[in-house]
Amino acid sequence: MVKVSVNKETCIACGVCWALVPDVFELDPNTGKTRIRTPYVTNDNDKVSEGNIPSELVDAVKNAANSCPTGSIIVE
Ligand code: SF4
């Protein structure tokens, strides 16, 4: 498992990560920003969304992180 986090304070809701990895990223209707989807999410609040992703999704999530225009996705 690899930890991923989304900084909702810098996310501009462009939708790139939702399009690239819809299994992991989605719109949070409460904040209008990105959140990590169930079952991967481990912590979600107004400022950050964190989760653990399985190895088979790591490459896709890293690609999304590299494609995020604001650098809001961090993969550890
Ligand atoms: Fe937000 Fe980055 Fe995803 Fe765009 S790609 S919705 S800025 S986290």
Side-chain angles (χ1 to χ4, degrees):
M1 300 286 259
V2 172
K3 185 178 175 184
V4 59
S5 64
V6 177
N7 183 341
K8 293 187 186 179
E9 297 188 297
T10 57
C11 170
I12 56 172
C14 69
V16 165
C17 60
W18 316 334
L20 288 173
V21 201
D23 287 346
V24 173
F25 302 108
E26 67 180 357
L27 171 66
D28 177 353
N30 298 316
T31 61
K33 304 297 180 75
T34 290
R35 70 182 175 194
I36 310 294
R37 296 185 80 113
T38 302
Y40 308 116
V41 65
T42 56
N43 176 42
D44 187 83
N45 58 48
D46 287 349
K47 295 185 175 180
V48 68
S49 190
E50 299 173 315
N52 291 319
I53 51 171
S55 53
E56 62 265 27
L57 289 172
V58 169
D59 283 351
V61 168
K62 284 183 175 175
N63 181 49
N66 289 334
S67 302
C68 174
T70 58
S72 299
I73 302 170
I74 304 297
V75 184
E76 294 181 10

